[in-house]
Amino acid sequence: MSKSSPPTTLRLDRFLATVTDYSRSDAKRLIKAGEISLEGKTLLDPRTPVAGDADVRLRGQPLRSAQPRYFMLNKPQDYVCAARDRRHLTVLDLLDEDNPERLHVAGRLDIDTTGLVLLTDDGNWSHAITSPKRDCWKRYWLRTAEPIAEKAVAQFAKGVFLKDDKQRTAPAELDIIAECEARLRISEGRYHQVKRMFGALGNAVVDLHREAIGEIELDASLAEGEYRPLTETERDSVWSDRHE
Ligand code: URA
């Protein structure tokens, strides 16, 4: 069974503060001054509920829709998954979008990890990806410093203890491709999880690349640093019970 992300309804003053640079108090002032209309009707009450995609206008000029946004990005190394950073560029610096600061990453990658990053301003949607309760699978390709022991497959399937964590990792699927190369599917998102899992076996990950999150595969046509909006199918797949 799958369901769509619920359409967002916002109070009019909050809607304005979301889609423009006006503060909530500026928005209230504009509303009370009769500057805001919906479908040709002036709205005077800041509490009026409006749908996220409503055609709200300021002095007759359409405002950008408050529809939530969803993107996939092919993250290069040396970019951090943070809203801002004093020393490094962030993934938001790669976006040519209005108000990029309103977007957040659904499932961070380390600075030296490449690959699939999902960005949105829909907190419910990103929660469905990152919530430990939802078992959303992530698939990584990786290269290690030392040959990967065959027994690692069974060890990861059973779960391993990571330094300072009290619980074993959830069952993970390791597919050894070459002596020092593998694909790993995990359903959790612990801090530095993949690197720490290999660390627990005395090995080290030297290259890490995320290929998929749930049913969303990194688009092979995106070069590093490029991004595109998600299709509706990709967006709605997050609500599916099947995350494989
Ligand atoms: N696991 C890691 O160790 N690093 C990442 O960036 C993602 C998963």
Side-chain angles (χ1 to χ4, degrees):
M1 186 198 75
S2 74
K3 59 182 178 186
S4 300
S5 183
T8 323
T9 303
L10 300 169
R11 280 171 55 124
L12 181 57
D13 55 349
R14 190 180 283 280
F15 178 101
L16 290 173
T18 304
V19 302
T20 69
D21 290 330
Y22 291 114
S23 64
R24 284 281 283 285
S25 50
D26 284 342
K28 282 186 185 145
R29 196 175 40 72
L30 287 167
I31 297 162
K32 288 181 180 160
E35 309 267 31
I36 306 296
S37 63
L38 172 64
E39 284 157 19
K41 240 183 88 189
T42 302
L43 299 175
L44 293 170
D45 186 348
R47 293 167 304 177
T48 309
V50 289
D53 57 355
D55 180 18
V56 177
R57 295 183 177 218
L58 168 62
R59 296 179 206 111
Q61 292 300 313
L63 297 172
R64 192 174 55 75
S65 147
Q67 278 289 54
R69 298 175 287 174
Y70 307 88
F71 299 104
M72 71 159 73
L73 166 78
N74 186 359
K75 178 190 167 305
Q77 283 195 340
D78 299 330
Y79 284 77
V80 291
C81 286
R84 64 185 75 82
D85 190 278
R86 275 189 294 144
R87 286 186 301 136
H88 301 103
L89 289 166
T90 80
V91 288
L92 298 183
D93 292 316
L94 293 165
L95 306 180
D96 182 17
E97 299 294 325
D98 290 340
N99 303 312
E101 71 287 351
R102 294 192 181 137
L103 296 162
H104 62 268
V105 170
R108 292 166 184 232
L109 291 179
D110 298 335
I111 187 166
D112 55 350
T113 303
T114 58
L116 178 62
V117 166
L118 299 174
L119 292 133
T120 184
D121 45 16
D122 182 345
N124 287 335
W125 188 83
S126 53
H127 185 254
I129 291 172
T130 55
S131 166
K133 290 192 190 127
R134 291 192 57 100
D135 278 351
C136 181
W137 287 88
K138 294 102 192 165
R139 192 178 73 241
Y140 294 87
W141 171 91
L142 59 97
R143 198 190 306 278
T144 53
E146 306 294 332
I148 304 167
E150 198 56 52
K151 65 179 181 203
V153 175
Q155 287 173 300
F156 284 168
K158 185 172 168 209
V160 289
F161 284 102
L162 304 182
K163 194 166 171 290
D164 301 328
D165 285 4
K166 292 200 175 66
Q167 285 192 326
R168 274 182 201 279
T169 51
E173 291 173 18
L174 180 67
D175 178 17
I176 302 173
I177 308 167
E179 202 180 39
C180 294
E181 205 181 313
R183 285 203 162 78
L184 179 67
R185 289 173 78 247
I186 58 173
S187 62
E188 301 170 295
R190 299 193 205 179
Y191 181 65
H192 294 331
Q193 176 152 350
V194 176
K195 292 173 187 162
R196 289 166 72 218
M197 284 173 74
F198 278 87
L201 305 188
N203 206 337
V205 172
V206 292
D207 281 315
L208 185 57
H209 177 80
R210 186 157 63 196
E211 298 179 325
I213 295 177
E215 293 167 42
I216 306 175
E217 297 276 338
L218 177 62
D219 188 330
S221 71
L222 292 176
E224 283 195 356
E226 290 184 345
Y227 71 101
R228 67 157 171 81
L230 293 189
T231 64
E232 280 183 28
T233 308
E234 286 166 339
R235 182 199 65 195
D236 292 345
S237 69
V238 162
W239 302 112
S240 151
D241 292 333
R242 200 166 45 87
H243 290 289
E244 293 167 71

